[in-house]
Amino acid sequence: MLTLHNLADRRCALLVIDMQYDFMPGGALAVKEGDALVPLINRLGRRFTRVILTQDWHPAGHISFAPSHPGHEPFQRITLPYGPQTLWPVHCVQGSQGAQLHADLDLPHAQLIARKGCNPDIDSYSAFMEADRSTPTGLTGYLREHGIDTLYVVGLALDFCVAWSAQDACKAGFTTYVVEDACRAIDLDGSLAGAWQAMLGLGVQRVQSQDLLGG
């Protein structure tokens, strides 16, 4: 049976993943209907005392960008020293408009913006661990020091940064929920189904916004 928590409890936090312009319709790596999430995430955010945002924040020429690998195209997969890597269009370059959080995101009480993907030589889908699977971002320590033990994850994209973050949160011992309708997916070659299988297999719980908001 699904057990939900008092969202205003300081042990709970809403983790909002990568609500940035490059992931919105018209952006460099657009996720269909990504902008439609903003009002819902704002509503959810008002229920939480603790809110944390993440921001993809790549240096120019990042290793995950297809143009960094001549002869390769976006969405091809290659093997890098740390393992398999999907190559992406240039996106969320530090300081660019595309890297900015959506202006209509209304979460003024957010306590932290965690930037990821800053290492030019390693990608980082997860808010907790870079793609080499050994370099922590520091978010785990932040959450533990602030007494947070339960996370509700929303944002973009469900089958990549949301899924990786949720799995790592679960592995780190946090009770983890993904609010399905407060996320959107890229769904690249079956990636969405694979992401759900991996998340549920680790104990991530799948909920809907109405479970939290009522109605």
Side-chain angles (χ1 to χ4, degrees):
M1 180 179 292
L2 183 65
T3 301
L4 299 175
H5 299 77
N6 173 11
L7 304 183
D9 190 314
R10 294 180 66 82
R11 292 171 296 179
C12 293
L14 181 68
L15 180 59
V16 181
I17 304 290
D18 297 357
M19 291 296 292
Q20 297 165 260
Y21 282 112
D22 268 345
F23 298 125
M24 302 293 164
L29 186 48
V31 181
K32 186 178 180 181
E33 300 179 346
D35 54 345
L37 299 180
V38 173
L40 177 56
I41 290 174
N42 289 342
R43 285 182 64 205
L44 288 167
R46 288 192 284 272
R47 299 292 183 98
F48 287 81
T49 300
R50 295 191 181 273
V51 176
I52 296 161
L53 311 176
T54 73
Q55 193 173 18
D56 222 22
W57 199 250
H58 296 304
H62 192 262
I63 198 167
S64 70
F65 295 165
S68 300
H69 304 273
H72 292 84
E73 298 295 328
F75 308 110
Q76 288 184 336
R77 285 175 62 84
I78 65 170
T79 300
L80 294 176
Y82 55 81
Q85 174 68 52
T86 299
L87 296 180
W88 303 110
V90 174
H91 67 282
C92 295
V93 174
Q94 295 170 1
S96 68
Q97 172 62 22
Q100 302 308 308
L101 295 167
H102 197 292
D104 293 337
L105 204 62
D106 186 20
L107 301 167
H109 57 305
Q111 292 92 1
L112 177 71
I113 298 175
R115 287 175 168 169
K116 59 188 180 64
C118 306
N119 185 329
D121 298 318
I122 307 175
D123 204 5
S124 186
Y125 299 142
S126 172
F128 292 86
M129 190 75 67
E130 294 187 0
D132 62 357
R133 312 311 296 148
S134 62
T135 304
T137 65
L139 182 57
T140 299
Y142 174 90
L143 296 172
R144 288 181 176 153
E145 288 195 9
H146 287 78
I148 296 167
D149 60 19
T150 301
L151 294 172
Y152 291 82
V153 190
V154 301
L156 302 170
L158 174 53
D159 42 343
F160 286 93
C161 295
V162 169
W164 284 53
S165 296
Q167 290 174 74
D168 283 347
C170 226
K171 290 176 184 176
F174 298 99
T175 301
T176 307
Y177 300 86
V178 169
V179 187
E180 183 175 20
D181 60 321
C183 303
R184 292 291 186 274
I186 296 173
D187 202 10
L188 187 65
D189 298 326
S191 56
L192 179 57
W196 274 121
Q197 183 177 13
M199 286 190 286
L200 296 173
L202 283 171
V204 174
Q205 299 184 66
R206 184 179 194 166
V207 298
Q208 307 297 321
S209 61
Q210 67 181 10
D211 298 327
L212 311 183
L213 298 171

